[in-house]
mmCIF file of all heavy atoms in Angstrom:
data_model
loop_
_atom_site.group_PDB
_atom_site.id
_atom_site.type_symbol
_atom_site.label_atom_id
_atom_site.label_comp_id
_atom_site.label_asym_id
_atom_site.label_seq_id
_atom_site.Cartn_x
_atom_site.Cartn_y
_atom_site.Cartn_z
ATOM 1 N N GLY V 1 131.793 119.735 161.419
ATOM 2 C CA GLY V 1 132.308 118.688 162.287
ATOM 3 C C GLY V 1 131.789 118.798 163.704
ATOM 4 O O GLY V 1 131.501 117.781 164.357
ATOM 5 N N ARG V 2 131.654 120.020 164.205
ATOM 6 C CA ARG V 2 131.145 120.225 165.557
ATOM 7 C C ARG V 2 129.640 119.968 165.642
ATOM 8 O O ARG V 2 129.147 119.448 166.642
ATOM 9 C CB ARG V 2 131.451 121.662 166.009
ATOM 10 C CG ARG V 2 132.916 121.912 166.311
ATOM 11 C CD ARG V 2 133.148 123.374 166.644
ATOM 12 N NE ARG V 2 134.517 123.629 167.077
ATOM 13 C CZ ARG V 2 135.040 124.834 167.247
ATOM 14 N NH1 ARG V 2 134.289 125.913 167.017
ATOM 15 N NH2 ARG V 2 136.295 124.981 167.632
ATOM 16 N N ARG V 3 128.925 120.346 164.579
ATOM 17 C CA ARG V 3 127.473 120.246 164.611
ATOM 18 C C ARG V 3 126.968 118.820 164.398
ATOM 19 O O ARG V 3 125.974 118.405 165.009
ATOM 20 C CB ARG V 3 126.896 121.176 163.537
ATOM 21 C CG ARG V 3 125.391 121.292 163.545
ATOM 22 C CD ARG V 3 124.931 122.485 162.729
ATOM 23 N NE ARG V 3 125.590 122.495 161.421
ATOM 24 C CZ ARG V 3 126.258 123.533 160.923
ATOM 25 N NH1 ARG V 3 126.391 124.626 161.633
ATOM 26 N NH2 ARG V 3 126.804 123.476 159.715
ATOM 27 N N ALA V 4 127.663 118.060 163.568
ATOM 28 C CA ALA V 4 127.197 116.717 163.216
ATOM 29 C C ALA V 4 127.454 115.733 164.357
ATOM 30 O O ALA V 4 128.467 115.829 165.059
ATOM 31 C CB ALA V 4 127.913 116.229 161.957
ATOM 32 N N PRO V 5 126.558 114.766 164.564
ATOM 33 C CA PRO V 5 126.850 113.671 165.492
ATOM 34 C C PRO V 5 127.973 112.808 164.929
ATOM 35 O O PRO V 5 128.383 112.980 163.773
ATOM 36 C CB PRO V 5 125.527 112.902 165.559
ATOM 37 C CG PRO V 5 124.845 113.209 164.268
ATOM 38 C CD PRO V 5 125.258 114.605 163.901
ATOM 39 N N CYS V 6 128.468 111.891 165.724
ATOM 40 C CA CYS V 6 129.593 111.047 165.298
ATOM 41 C C CYS V 6 129.239 110.291 164.017
ATOM 42 O O CYS V 6 128.289 109.496 163.992
ATOM 43 C CB CYS V 6 129.943 110.062 166.401
ATOM 44 S SG CYS V 6 131.283 108.920 165.967
ATOM 45 N N VAL V 7 129.997 110.522 162.954
ATOM 46 C CA VAL V 7 129.668 109.927 161.656
ATOM 47 C C VAL V 7 129.985 108.435 161.607
ATOM 48 O O VAL V 7 129.561 107.748 160.685
ATOM 49 C CB VAL V 7 130.408 110.657 160.513
ATOM 50 C CG1 VAL V 7 129.849 112.059 160.324
ATOM 51 C CG2 VAL V 7 131.913 110.702 160.776
ATOM 52 N N LEU V 8 130.703 107.917 162.605
ATOM 53 C CA LEU V 8 130.930 106.475 162.665
ATOM 54 C C LEU V 8 129.702 105.734 163.175
ATOM 55 O O LEU V 8 129.649 104.500 163.105
ATOM 56 C CB LEU V 8 132.138 106.158 163.554
ATOM 57 C CG LEU V 8 133.506 106.578 163.035
ATOM 58 C CD1 LEU V 8 134.596 106.074 163.972
ATOM 59 C CD2 LEU V 8 133.743 106.070 161.628
ATOM 60 N N ASN V 9 128.724 106.469 163.690
ATOM 61 C CA ASN V 9 127.501 105.839 164.179
ATOM 62 C C ASN V 9 126.466 105.625 163.080
ATOM 63 O O ASN V 9 125.353 105.189 163.369
ATOM 64 C CB ASN V 9 126.874 106.685 165.293
ATOM 65 C CG ASN V 9 127.642 106.580 166.597
ATOM 66 O OD1 ASN V 9 128.332 105.596 166.841
ATOM 67 N ND2 ASN V 9 127.541 107.600 167.430
ATOM 68 N N LEU V 10 126.811 105.946 161.845
ATOM 69 C CA LEU V 10 125.877 105.778 160.740
ATOM 70 C C LEU V 10 126.123 104.440 160.046
ATOM 71 O O LEU V 10 127.231 104.172 159.571
ATOM 72 C CB LEU V 10 126.038 106.910 159.726
ATOM 73 C CG LEU V 10 125.639 108.307 160.216
ATOM 74 C CD1 LEU V 10 125.983 109.337 159.159
ATOM 75 C CD2 LEU V 10 124.164 108.363 160.549
ATOM 76 N N TYR V 11 125.090 103.635 159.965
ATOM 77 C CA TYR V 11 125.160 102.354 159.257
ATOM 78 C C TYR V 11 124.845 102.656 157.788
ATOM 79 O O TYR V 11 123.737 102.434 157.312
ATOM 80 C CB TYR V 11 124.156 101.365 159.851
ATOM 81 C CG TYR V 11 124.550 99.917 159.737
ATOM 82 C CD1 TYR V 11 124.330 99.031 160.795
ATOM 83 C CD2 TYR V 11 125.145 99.416 158.575
ATOM 84 C CE1 TYR V 11 124.703 97.693 160.708
ATOM 85 C CE2 TYR V 11 125.511 98.085 158.487
ATOM 86 C CZ TYR V 11 125.283 97.221 159.546
ATOM 87 O OH TYR V 11 125.658 95.898 159.457
ATOM 88 N N TYR V 12 125.854 103.160 157.079
ATOM 89 C CA TYR V 12 125.655 103.663 155.717
ATOM 90 C C TYR V 12 125.044 102.600 154.806
ATOM 91 O O TYR V 12 124.225 102.915 153.933
ATOM 92 C CB TYR V 12 126.984 104.145 155.139
ATOM 93 C CG TYR V 12 127.576 105.313 155.879
ATOM 94 C CD1 TYR V 12 128.542 105.118 156.870
ATOM 95 C CD2 TYR V 12 127.175 106.613 155.616
ATOM 96 C CE1 TYR V 12 129.075 106.187 157.572
ATOM 97 C CE2 TYR V 12 127.709 107.690 156.301
ATOM 98 C CZ TYR V 12 128.662 107.469 157.281
ATOM 99 O OH TYR V 12 129.182 108.532 157.980
ATOM 100 N N GLU V 13 125.460 101.354 154.996
ATOM 101 C CA GLU V 13 124.988 100.284 154.130
ATOM 102 C C GLU V 13 123.476 100.069 154.225
ATOM 103 O O GLU V 13 122.885 99.459 153.329
ATOM 104 C CB GLU V 13 125.708 98.970 154.475
ATOM 105 C CG GLU V 13 127.218 99.023 154.271
ATOM 106 C CD GLU V 13 127.976 99.481 155.502
ATOM 107 O OE1 GLU V 13 127.396 100.251 156.313
ATOM 108 O OE2 GLU V 13 129.138 99.080 155.683
ATOM 109 N N ARG V 14 122.865 100.555 155.293
ATOM 110 C CA ARG V 14 121.412 100.433 155.452
ATOM 111 C C ARG V 14 120.698 101.749 155.164
ATOM 112 O O ARG V 14 119.489 101.874 155.414
ATOM 113 C CB ARG V 14 121.082 99.937 156.856
ATOM 114 C CG ARG V 14 121.668 98.557 157.117
ATOM 115 C CD ARG V 14 121.173 97.938 158.384
ATOM 116 N NE ARG V 14 121.701 96.581 158.524
ATOM 117 C CZ ARG V 14 121.458 95.782 159.559
ATOM 118 N NH1 ARG V 14 120.697 96.219 160.539
ATOM 119 N NH2 ARG V 14 121.964 94.564 159.610
ATOM 120 N N ARG V 15 121.454 102.709 154.677
ATOM 121 C CA ARG V 15 120.890 104.016 154.348
ATOM 122 C C ARG V 15 121.056 104.362 152.867
ATOM 123 O O ARG V 15 120.889 105.513 152.483
ATOM 124 C CB ARG V 15 121.554 105.100 155.204
ATOM 125 C CG ARG V 15 121.205 105.038 156.694
ATOM 126 C CD ARG V 15 122.039 106.027 157.470
ATOM 127 N NE ARG V 15 121.661 106.152 158.867
ATOM 128 C CZ ARG V 15 120.914 107.132 159.356
ATOM 129 N NH1 ARG V 15 120.438 108.062 158.547
ATOM 130 N NH2 ARG V 15 120.633 107.198 160.645
ATOM 131 N N TRP V 16 121.409 103.381 152.052
ATOM 132 C CA TRP V 16 121.681 103.669 150.631
ATOM 133 C C TRP V 16 120.521 104.390 149.958
ATOM 134 O O TRP V 16 120.727 105.252 149.106
ATOM 135 C CB TRP V 16 121.972 102.385 149.877
ATOM 136 C CG TRP V 16 123.247 101.677 150.175
ATOM 137 C CD1 TRP V 16 123.405 100.336 150.387
ATOM 138 C CD2 TRP V 16 124.572 102.225 150.282
ATOM 139 N NE1 TRP V 16 124.720 100.024 150.631
ATOM 140 C CE2 TRP V 16 125.467 101.163 150.561
ATOM 141 C CE3 TRP V 16 125.086 103.521 150.166
ATOM 142 C CZ2 TRP V 16 126.832 101.351 150.728
ATOM 143 C CZ3 TRP V 16 126.456 103.713 150.341
ATOM 144 C CH2 TRP V 16 127.314 102.638 150.614
ATOM 145 N N GLU V 17 119.285 104.053 150.309
ATOM 146 C CA GLU V 17 118.124 104.622 149.629
ATOM 147 C C GLU V 17 117.735 105.995 150.160
ATOM 148 O O GLU V 17 116.920 106.686 149.554
ATOM 149 C CB GLU V 17 116.929 103.671 149.753
ATOM 150 C CG GLU V 17 117.170 102.319 149.089
ATOM 151 C CD GLU V 17 115.981 101.393 149.218
ATOM 152 O OE1 GLU V 17 114.952 101.818 149.797
ATOM 153 O OE2 GLU V 17 116.071 100.242 148.748
ATOM 154 N N GLN V 18 118.316 106.399 151.281
ATOM 155 C CA GLN V 18 117.974 107.700 151.869
ATOM 156 C C GLN V 18 118.483 108.829 150.980
ATOM 157 O O GLN V 18 119.639 108.815 150.537
ATOM 158 C CB GLN V 18 118.591 107.822 153.261
ATOM 159 C CG GLN V 18 118.202 109.098 154.004
ATOM 160 C CD GLN V 18 118.716 109.102 155.439
ATOM 161 O OE1 GLN V 18 119.367 108.165 155.883
ATOM 162 N NE2 GLN V 18 118.406 110.151 156.174
ATOM 163 N N PRO V 19 117.658 109.830 150.696
ATOM 164 C CA PRO V 19 118.139 110.969 149.915
ATOM 165 C C PRO V 19 119.321 111.646 150.609
ATOM 166 O O PRO V 19 119.296 111.845 151.834
ATOM 167 C CB PRO V 19 116.924 111.899 149.849
ATOM 168 C CG PRO V 19 115.742 110.999 150.047
ATOM 169 C CD PRO V 19 116.222 109.939 151.007
ATOM 170 N N LEU V 20 120.337 111.974 149.840
ATOM 171 C CA LEU V 20 121.532 112.584 150.419
ATOM 172 C C LEU V 20 121.195 113.903 151.104
ATOM 173 O O LEU V 20 121.734 114.209 152.167
ATOM 174 C CB LEU V 20 122.584 112.799 149.331
ATOM 175 C CG LEU V 20 123.919 113.403 149.763
ATOM 176 C CD1 LEU V 20 124.573 112.567 150.845
ATOM 177 C CD2 LEU V 20 124.852 113.558 148.560
ATOM 178 N N THR V 21 120.288 114.677 150.518
ATOM 179 C CA THR V 21 119.905 115.947 151.134
ATOM 180 C C THR V 21 119.248 115.721 152.497
ATOM 181 O O THR V 21 119.477 116.488 153.437
ATOM 182 C CB THR V 21 118.947 116.718 150.225
ATOM 183 O OG1 THR V 21 117.825 115.874 149.883
ATOM 184 C CG2 THR V 21 119.649 117.168 148.947
ATOM 185 N N ALA V 22 118.436 114.657 152.603
ATOM 186 C CA ALA V 22 117.779 114.356 153.874
ATOM 187 C C ALA V 22 118.799 113.922 154.927
ATOM 188 O O ALA V 22 118.680 114.279 156.108
ATOM 189 C CB ALA V 22 116.722 113.273 153.674
ATOM 190 N N LEU V 23 119.799 113.142 154.510
ATOM 191 C CA LEU V 23 120.828 112.707 155.452
ATOM 192 C C LEU V 23 121.660 113.895 155.916
ATOM 193 O O LEU V 23 121.985 114.005 157.107
ATOM 194 C CB LEU V 23 121.717 111.650 154.792
ATOM 195 C CG LEU V 23 122.838 111.076 155.664
ATOM 196 C CD1 LEU V 23 122.293 110.492 156.962
ATOM 197 C CD2 LEU V 23 123.622 110.020 154.892
ATOM 198 N N ARG V 24 121.995 114.790 155.001
ATOM 199 C CA ARG V 24 122.734 115.990 155.400
ATOM 200 C C ARG V 24 121.925 116.815 156.396
ATOM 201 O O ARG V 24 122.469 117.325 157.381
ATOM 202 C CB ARG V 24 123.067 116.831 154.165
ATOM 203 C CG ARG V 24 124.183 116.253 153.308
ATOM 204 C CD ARG V 24 124.307 117.014 152.000
ATOM 205 N NE ARG V 24 125.460 116.570 151.230
ATOM 206 C CZ ARG V 24 125.634 116.844 149.931
ATOM 207 N NH1 ARG V 24 124.731 117.569 149.285
ATOM 208 N NH2 ARG V 24 126.703 116.389 149.303
ATOM 209 N N GLU V 25 120.638 116.933 156.150
ATOM 210 C CA GLU V 25 119.784 117.686 157.069
ATOM 211 C C GLU V 25 119.733 117.007 158.424
ATOM 212 O O GLU V 25 119.780 117.671 159.475
ATOM 213 C CB GLU V 25 118.381 117.808 156.478
ATOM 214 C CG GLU V 25 117.440 118.665 157.311
ATOM 215 C CD GLU V 25 116.089 118.840 156.649
ATOM 216 O OE1 GLU V 25 115.948 118.444 155.471
ATOM 217 O OE2 GLU V 25 115.175 119.374 157.314
ATOM 218 N N GLU V 26 119.655 115.675 158.442
ATOM 219 C CA GLU V 26 119.636 114.928 159.700
ATOM 220 C C GLU V 26 120.915 115.167 160.503
ATOM 221 O O GLU V 26 120.883 115.268 161.733
ATOM 222 C CB GLU V 26 119.489 113.434 159.393
ATOM 223 C CG GLU V 26 119.550 112.538 160.604
ATOM 224 C CD GLU V 26 119.530 111.052 160.241
ATOM 225 O OE1 GLU V 26 119.004 110.697 159.163
ATOM 226 O OE2 GLU V 26 120.036 110.238 161.039
ATOM 227 N N LEU V 27 122.029 115.262 159.805
ATOM 228 C CA LEU V 27 123.325 115.429 160.471
ATOM 229 C C LEU V 27 123.680 116.888 160.720
ATOM 230 O O LEU V 27 124.664 117.165 161.418
ATOM 231 C CB LEU V 27 124.425 114.776 159.623
ATOM 232 C CG LEU V 27 124.287 113.276 159.363
ATOM 233 C CD1 LEU V 27 125.384 112.806 158.426
ATOM 234 C CD2 LEU V 27 124.320 112.495 160.664
ATOM 235 N N GLY V 28 122.942 117.813 160.134
ATOM 236 C CA GLY V 28 123.274 119.225 160.268
ATOM 237 C C GLY V 28 124.426 119.651 159.393
ATOM 238 O O GLY V 28 125.111 120.639 159.688
ATOM 239 N N ILE V 29 124.660 118.925 158.299
ATOM 240 C CA ILE V 29 125.759 119.237 157.386
ATOM 241 C C ILE V 29 125.257 120.151 156.278
ATOM 242 O O ILE V 29 124.276 119.832 155.598
ATOM 243 C CB ILE V 29 126.368 117.959 156.794
ATOM 244 C CG1 ILE V 29 127.103 117.178 157.885
ATOM 245 C CG2 ILE V 29 127.315 118.273 155.632
ATOM 246 C CD1 ILE V 29 127.681 115.859 157.422
ATOM 247 N N THR V 30 125.925 121.272 156.091
ATOM 248 C CA THR V 30 125.577 122.206 155.032
ATOM 249 C C THR V 30 126.526 122.041 153.854
ATOM 250 O O THR V 30 127.630 121.517 154.003
ATOM 251 C CB THR V 30 125.640 123.654 155.540
ATOM 252 O OG1 THR V 30 126.975 123.924 155.996
ATOM 253 C CG2 THR V 30 124.666 123.858 156.690
ATOM 254 N N GLY V 31 126.093 122.499 152.689
ATOM 255 C CA GLY V 31 126.919 122.405 151.501
ATOM 256 C C GLY V 31 128.131 123.318 151.579
ATOM 257 O O GLY V 31 128.141 124.292 152.337
ATOM 258 N N PRO V 32 129.180 123.013 150.794
ATOM 259 C CA PRO V 32 130.395 123.837 150.820
ATOM 260 C C PRO V 32 130.143 125.223 150.250
ATOM 261 O O PRO V 32 129.178 125.425 149.500
ATOM 262 C CB PRO V 32 131.370 123.048 149.943
ATOM 263 C CG PRO V 32 130.496 122.256 149.026
ATOM 264 C CD PRO V 32 129.272 121.911 149.831
ATOM 265 N N PRO V 33 130.982 126.199 150.603
ATOM 266 C CA PRO V 33 130.853 127.546 150.033
ATOM 267 C C PRO V 33 130.835 127.476 148.507
ATOM 268 O O PRO V 33 131.691 126.835 147.891
ATOM 269 C CB PRO V 33 132.103 128.267 150.553
ATOM 270 C CG PRO V 33 132.481 127.520 151.795
ATOM 271 C CD PRO V 33 132.103 126.088 151.545
ATOM 272 N N GLY V 34 129.867 128.137 147.894
ATOM 273 C CA GLY V 34 129.641 127.992 146.460
ATOM 274 C C GLY V 34 130.822 128.359 145.591
ATOM 275 O O GLY V 34 131.152 127.646 144.636
ATOM 276 N N HIS V 35 131.518 129.437 145.906
ATOM 277 C CA HIS V 35 132.582 129.898 145.016
ATOM 278 C C HIS V 35 133.888 129.114 145.189
ATOM 279 O O HIS V 35 134.864 129.401 144.511
ATOM 280 C CB HIS V 35 132.856 131.393 145.233
ATOM 281 C CG HIS V 35 133.331 131.731 146.600
ATOM 282 N ND1 HIS V 35 132.474 131.887 147.677
ATOM 283 C CD2 HIS V 35 134.581 131.956 147.077
ATOM 284 C CE1 HIS V 35 133.173 132.202 148.755
ATOM 285 N NE2 HIS V 35 134.455 132.245 148.423
#
């Protein structure tokens, strides 16, 4: 939450084709703890 920019600034409807991994990388979001 601290690392990512404001998630309300994302026009999700125009990003449908963007790979989810690429969007996470753009926002600095990492995956949840594996266990």
